[in-house]
Amino acid sequence: MQLRNTLLLGGMLSAALATAAYADSQITLIHTGDFHGHLTPRPNLRSNADYPGQMIGGLARIAAEIKNIQAGKGGAGNTLVLHTGDTIQGSGEALYTRGQAIVDVVDMLGIDGYTPGNWDFVYGPERFKELFATQLNPNLPTLPEQTEGRVVAPPFGTRWGGIVSNLYISSANPSAPKDPGAVGTAQDTNVSQAEYDAYAQWYTKNGQRVLPPYAVRIVNGVKIGLLGCTTSRGPQVVGKWVTTGLEFTDCSVEAPLFAEHLRTKEGVDVVVMLAEIEIGRNIQLIKNKIVKPEQHIDVILNADMHEEVLQPIEVIDAVGNKTWIIESGQDGALIGEITLTVNAGVVTKMAHVPHRIDDRIVEDVAVANKVAQVRAPFNEGFDATIPCNANSPYWNSFTQSTCLNGPLSEVVGNTDVALHRSNYSSENMAAAIEGSSHDFIADAIRWWAKSDLATVRGFRYGTHVAPGPITRNDLFHFVPIGPRVGKASRISANQLRNQVDNSSLAVFSSRPSGVITPRPNYNNAVYAPGGLKAGQSPGAGLTALGAAGNSLGWGGGWLFAYSADGFHMNFDPYFTPSWQQIKANGAAGSGIDLGANTLTATPPSDTSRARSLTVTMLCKDLPPAEIASRACNVADTTTRYSTTITTASDGSYVGSWKANYTNGQVKAFNPAISGYTNNTRSDAAATDATTACNLVSGSYVNNTCGYTPYLLNPDGWQYLRGTPNQPDTAFTVNQHFKAPLFTVAGYWYMQSPNTINNCNNCYPMGLNTTVGDANSAYLLPVNVLEDGSAALDANGNPLFERNDFGAVKMDAANKPTLLGAPIDLTVIIEKYLAHLGGTVTASALPLNRIGLVNALPDSTGTLGFPTMQPLCGTIGQNPTLTNGCPQ
């Protein structure tokens, strides 16, 4: 009898649920995303601040507002709390606990579904699995097995109900294709669409997933399918080494597959995709990949770009169904409340209410106490007596040699300038172009490394620091990834200009999921001697015309930030340079032939988005025509002269920078290359190679014995390139923009020693192969000496460890060893603040380094709200037309 009653009761409940599903029902989704390690509120320095001094975010206020929303909906049972994107990176507390500090607090928010962002992999795959893929309930079944694209109903025992359909364990199967983007980065690797499609399809069919691809929830009688898609890129600022053993696809195969599975096999009424695949790519996915009614995705709750989508972005798929896309800002500044009305398995109405999280909300006491608890060891509980080693709670897991040097709450300086990067695209210093915080960091790097240039990847995480005190944790909010500073011996103006073009292609691509654009090597590491594609044509196998897009899609971030004395450029976000327009190995006259040696060949057409690119330089480094016209002294090591490298019209090189060299051109003497001895020169009139140094010689300008020239052959300068720190093959430079002129600095990690902050164009060049010589090619970290100064000599060259005979000591990897100890970038910034007298002033931080030739689009009129990023790109589009997409 008891069993019969149970069956009857079960049948009645099933009938009731079925009836409810076909009546008007409402469900509410509460969306949070991109916390980026922020535990406590921060200032709101955007133009949308509701009142002066507004403080936004804070997990205790987020918890309180979630409960307020749930109470208005009749209780938590009528809602789903869904979280997307980067959570465990972005603060000192997160760094020094490898994410645990914020995870312990977010555990209290009652999250029902979660998809990771790229920064959630920053502590490595094992840490990711430990936090998010471990079964929290040992009584639950193991993760589902996949069979030809289908999975059994997934368990709900992983933290926050984590799901992601396009994240796989790297397969040991010899037939498994390699990730086409794993060689180098999206900035320097040419991949055909066919290669990438084959990779994605193989893993979709055969791959072992780290988390379930989807989950099913029932709320108020409505069956909801949650589908997870993470970004196709890992945290590129750090390097691909942090995702070793993991494979990411772009979800263009998985999203329609599992949306259809949820509707046809699981019988869901609503499909909600939790995504971190960039808004532009979401739009393209819906418009191009959803081709059947059963693949319809109702709502995409997105993260990654930090946009505050105040009104849902509506996209119509190929079969006429509507998808809403919503993103809820960053740092906990916004919560999205999305209420869906469902009838007969169809969403008939949607209402979206964005909730600003600010100091008008009373904090949840329990969460506030937990925040205080996880922060205490790094603030009032900081113990300076703990030895700095791997057992220390303050151990930096990235440098693996440094520790936190004081409380995170300690004031380390002041600023007169608001430090942030968050302006809308229609505003001055749009975030996609430039930010005061990034300029400040780049300046600190250049100061420490004594370099001509510094470059910082345009990451989107980072706090707001209002004029006033700067705390140590503010620095960790800006740079929470534990890097050191590295320096490359020399790069050319060619490398600098093409760094702008390569990186901006990824930022402003208007085809985030199209055919890849051929890219010449421009001294990029992949195609250089010792690189994985050395000797290959960068355009090999690419039959499609280059377009402003690539198969790896939108590359993330904003424009790189640059620091150099007198640096300025005007940037055209709509322009497609000639080498990004043409067919690989195209005929002469059609653009750059990618099969040619781009270091030495003169392309028939060579344009750039970087217009009027200007820096100041010493006399000796100027082009020959400018040395002559200024009548400057090449021996003067103090006076700097402004020089404009590219034209204002199309970014090609100005005449003095692209002119060919001739016999007699002045350049520093180097016996290892010239073959001359005794610091002497030779010319056509000399009787031998030991002619005495003359103060004036007919073909030389301001020739002094302190700057002894050697005769160049008609082809120009000789220089070397090769793997960093191990230069080899000699090349000839016949034009000034190809010459090794600038030292450059940026992020550096010992796990990826051949690059600085993913600037693959910052590939070092030198004048000889002698390790330790001031003119050799190197890419090395800049250590700190015991007196607190940088381990550099007066000329900015690294200080090497040497044996009793003066020879440079080499390590087991045949790399030179350096004097000094590793130093974290945040400590370098503290030192820079001290160098500035403790305060960042307007004169010490010149802004507006990058101007715009054509303004970025203002999405307000199209979407109803402003954005930071042109959501559908700009390159190749008409700058006079509205570019709000999505239709």
Side-chain angles (χ1 to χ4, degrees):
M1 177 64 73
Q2 184 177 2
L3 177 60
R4 180 176 182 273
N5 287 340
T6 301
L7 292 173
L8 286 173
L9 179 60
M12 293 169 62
L13 288 173
S14 298
L17 289 175
T19 301
Y22 287 96
D24 270 347
S25 299
Q26 284 194 340
I27 59 172
T28 296
L29 313 176
I30 301 173
H31 180 225
T32 63
D34 278 319
F35 286 166
H36 275 293
H38 275 70
L39 294 161
T40 57
R42 62 154 173 84
N44 182 13
L45 302 182
R46 273 184 168 174
S47 58
N48 70 353
D50 297 306
Y51 49 89
Q54 183 182 32
M55 298 293 289
I56 57 176
L59 293 183
R61 291 193 176 117
I62 290 170
E65 192 67 0
I66 289 174
K67 292 179 180 177
N68 290 337
I69 296 170
Q70 289 174 331
K73 299 297 179 180
N78 293 323
T79 69
L80 286 178
V81 180
L82 304 174
H83 182 60
T84 53
D86 306 324
T87 304
I88 62 173
Q89 171 267 9
S91 66
E93 299 96 339
L95 171 64
Y96 288 106
T97 62
R98 300 171 70 223
Q100 196 68 54
I102 190 167
V103 162
D104 288 346
V105 180
V106 176
D107 279 347
M108 302 176 70
L109 302 184
I111 293 175
D112 298 298
Y114 156 74
T115 287
N118 58 310
W119 285 107
D120 293 329
F121 300 94
V122 71
Y123 308 114
E126 295 310 311
R127 181 58 171 166
F128 175 83
K129 295 173 190 175
E130 180 183 358
L131 289 175
F132 300 114
T134 302
Q135 290 291 331
L136 303 183
N137 184 344
N139 297 319
L140 289 172
T142 58
L143 293 180
E145 295 296 327
Q146 181 178 340
T147 304
E148 295 183 355
R150 286 196 76 240
V151 295
V152 299
F156 306 117
T158 53
R159 177 169 270 115
W160 310 339
I163 52 174
V164 57
S165 64
N166 61 323
L167 172 67
Y168 304 89
I169 303 294
S170 297
S171 175
N173 188 325
S175 65
K178 301 297 182 184
D179 179 359
V183 180
T185 73
Q187 293 176 28
D188 73 348
T189 305
N190 289 313
V191 182
S192 69
Q193 189 68 51
E195 284 180 277
Y196 192 78
D197 287 347
Y199 164 74
Q201 290 164 0
W202 191 95
Y203 268 97
T204 299
K205 183 177 181 180
N206 303 292
Q208 177 187 354
R209 291 184 172 84
V210 179
L211 286 172
Y214 68 84
V216 177
R217 304 285 192 269
I218 297 177
V219 176
N220 198 17
V222 177
K223 199 172 187 181
I224 305 161
L226 303 177
L227 166 63
C229 286
T230 191
T231 179
S232 60
R233 68 188 195 285
Q236 293 184 20
V237 171
V238 179
K240 289 184 176 291
W241 54 271
V242 299
T243 54
T244 299
L246 298 179
E247 306 288 334
F248 299 80
T249 70
D250 67 357
C251 217
S252 62
V253 176
E254 292 87 348
L257 170 70
F258 286 109
E260 182 174 355
H261 173 82
L262 283 164
R263 291 191 184 277
T264 61
K265 303 299 182 182
E266 299 287 356
V268 304
D269 305 299
V270 178
V271 175
V272 177
M273 188 164 89
L274 309 183
E276 218 231 21
I277 58 172
E278 307 93 39
I279 294 177
R281 292 181 65 188
N282 277 314
I283 292 170
Q284 294 297 316
L285 187 152
I286 295 301
K287 292 171 67 174
N288 299 330
K289 300 296 183 179
I290 305 302
V291 297
K292 297 191 293 185
E294 54 268 33
Q295 295 173 341
H296 175 220
I297 297 171
D298 295 285
V299 179
I300 297 177
L301 300 180
N302 200 62
D304 188 58
M305 295 179 68
H306 301 181
E307 300 289 355
E308 294 186 345
V309 175
L310 304 180
Q311 298 181 29
I313 299 172
E314 298 182 355
V315 186
I316 306 300
D317 63 28
V319 290
N321 289 321
K322 182 183 294 183
T323 298
W324 289 279
I325 302 175
I326 295 168
E327 190 160 304
S328 299
Q330 72 178 104
D331 304 342
L334 200 71
I335 288 180
E337 175 192 345
I338 303 98
T339 299
L340 304 177
T341 301
V342 182
N343 183 277
V346 176
V347 177
T348 59
K349 183 179 179 181
M350 187 185 81
H352 172 232
V353 180
H355 293 255
R356 174 68 65 207
I357 306 302
D358 61 21
D359 38 14
R360 293 171 289 189
I361 298 173
V362 178
E363 292 184 336
D364 181 275
V365 174
V367 174
N369 289 339
K370 188 65 174 179
V371 168
Q373 177 187 338
V374 300
R375 296 190 72 225
F378 308 99
N379 290 286
E380 64 272 14
F382 180 81
D383 187 352
T385 66
I386 296 177
C388 181
N389 55 45
N391 297 317
S392 169
Y394 314 124
W395 180 250
N396 186 324
S397 59
F398 291 99
T399 65
Q400 296 184 9
S401 55
T402 64
C403 291
L404 180 64
N405 65 329
L408 292 174
S409 57
E410 183 177 352
V411 173
V412 294
N414 293 275
T415 181
D416 296 338
V417 181
L419 300 176
H420 67 105
R421 188 168 184 173
S422 61
N423 290 344
Y424 296 115
S425 63
S426 59
E427 297 176 331
N428 179 45
M429 277 183 62
I433 300 296
E434 185 180 355
S436 57
S437 54
H438 286 57
D439 289 343
F440 170 60
I441 295 167
D443 286 353
I445 291 173
R446 179 165 68 98
W447 166 80
W448 178 254
K450 295 182 183 178
S451 59
D452 300 309
L453 294 166
T455 175
V456 176
R457 187 180 179 90
F459 43 69
R460 286 185 312 286
Y461 58 77
T463 193
H464 293 194
V465 177
I470 302 172
T471 68
R472 183 169 286 114
N473 210 17
D474 289 332
L475 303 185
F476 278 102
H477 283 310
F478 286 140
V479 192
I481 49 177
R484 297 163 67 181
V485 165
K487 184 177 183 180
S489 54
R490 289 177 179 85
I491 67 167
S492 67
N494 201 32
Q495 291 171 267
L496 170 61
R497 195 197 69 167
N498 287 289
Q499 173 62 21
V500 175
D501 280 325
N502 281 357
S503 60
S504 62
L505 174 66
V507 176
F508 295 103
S509 170
S510 49
R511 296 185 61 187
S513 296
V515 293
I516 196 162
T517 298
R519 299 180 175 97
N521 64 356
Y522 286 113
N523 222 29
N524 282 338
V526 173
Y527 298 99
L532 294 179
K533 292 190 176 182
Q536 297 182 32
S537 163
L542 296 176
T543 58
L545 287 176
N550 63 75
S551 59
L552 297 180
W554 185 82
W558 297 320
L559 280 188
F560 277 56
Y562 297 93
S563 175
D565 190 41
F567 178 90
H568 186 81
M569 71 173 173
N570 293 323
F571 178 80
D572 189 345
Y574 298 88
F575 185 72
T576 305
S578 57
W579 58 267
Q580 291 175 351
Q581 291 176 322
I582 61 101
K583 188 174 182 178
N585 305 310
S590 66
I592 292 179
D593 179 354
L594 295 182
N597 184 333
T598 54
L599 290 166
T600 58
T602 302
S605 175
D606 191 14
T607 56
S608 172
R609 284 184 277 272
R611 312 292 174 79
S612 301
L613 177 59
T614 302
V615 295
T616 67
M617 303 179 71
L618 296 175
C619 178
K620 68 183 180 65
D621 293 324
L622 293 171
E626 295 188 27
I627 294 176
S629 65
R630 299 171 195 269
C632 56
N633 185 352
V634 293
D636 183 351
T637 60
T638 303
T639 309
R640 302 184 72 88
Y641 301 86
S642 180
T643 179
T644 300
I645 300 172
T646 62
T647 66
S649 59
D650 64 3
S652 59
Y653 291 103
V654 301
S656 62
W657 276 82
K658 68 180 178 182
N660 287 332
Y661 290 118
T662 59
N663 283 334
Q665 170 56 40
V666 173
K667 189 55 190 172
F669 171 78
N670 192 305
I673 292 181
S674 70
Y676 303 135
T677 58
N678 302 323
N679 259 0
T680 61
R681 63 165 183 83
S682 175
D683 58 30
T687 58
D688 55 50
T690 58
T691 302
C693 172
N694 294 322
L695 292 179
V696 178
S697 181
S699 61
Y700 298 109
V701 181
N702 293 335
N703 179 15
T704 67
C705 291
Y707 183 81
T708 310
Y710 60 87
L711 183 68
L712 295 161
N713 62 42
D715 293 326
W717 285 344
Q718 295 289 316
Y719 72 98
L720 298 154
R721 71 171 187 177
T723 56
N725 312 316
Q726 294 179 348
D728 51 14
T729 312
F731 287 84
T732 299
V733 172
N734 58 358
Q735 293 166 296
H736 201 71
F737 69 87
K738 300 173 184 175
L741 297 171
F742 305 99
T743 57
V744 61
Y747 289 171
W748 186 89
Y749 290 95
M750 63 180 179
Q751 295 89 343
S752 51
N754 293 339
T755 183
I756 52 175
N757 58 286
N758 302 103
C759 179
N760 290 308
N761 275 286
C762 300
Y763 202 74
M765 296 187 288
L767 294 171
N768 66 45
T769 58
T770 304
V771 175
D773 187 278
N775 288 313
S776 66
Y778 63 80
L779 196 164
L780 296 166
V782 181
N783 287 342
V784 63
L785 298 174
E786 290 186 1
D787 64 2
S789 64
L792 300 169
D793 64 21
N795 296 315
N797 295 307
L799 293 175
F800 299 98
E801 289 188 1
R802 297 179 182 270
N803 60 25
D804 293 340
F805 301 99
V808 175
K809 292 182 179 180
M810 308 296 285
D811 63 18
N814 201 32
K815 300 289 181 69
T817 59
L818 302 175
L819 291 178
I823 182 171
D824 185 278
L825 177 53
T826 57
V827 181
I828 290 172
I829 299 174
E830 288 186 40
K831 290 178 176 291
Y832 182 60
L833 283 167
H835 168 75
L836 295 177
T839 301
V840 181
T841 63
S843 60
L845 183 62
L847 302 177
N848 293 292
R849 302 175 186 188
I850 304 175
L852 283 171
V853 175
N854 289 294
L856 293 175
D858 181 359
S859 63
T860 307
T862 304
L863 299 177
F865 58 89
T867 62
M868 292 179 289
Q869 184 91 19
L871 301 186
C872 290
T874 57
I875 297 173
Q877 297 189 15
N878 187 337
T880 65
L881 300 178
T882 301
N883 181 32
C885 46
Q887 302 298 338

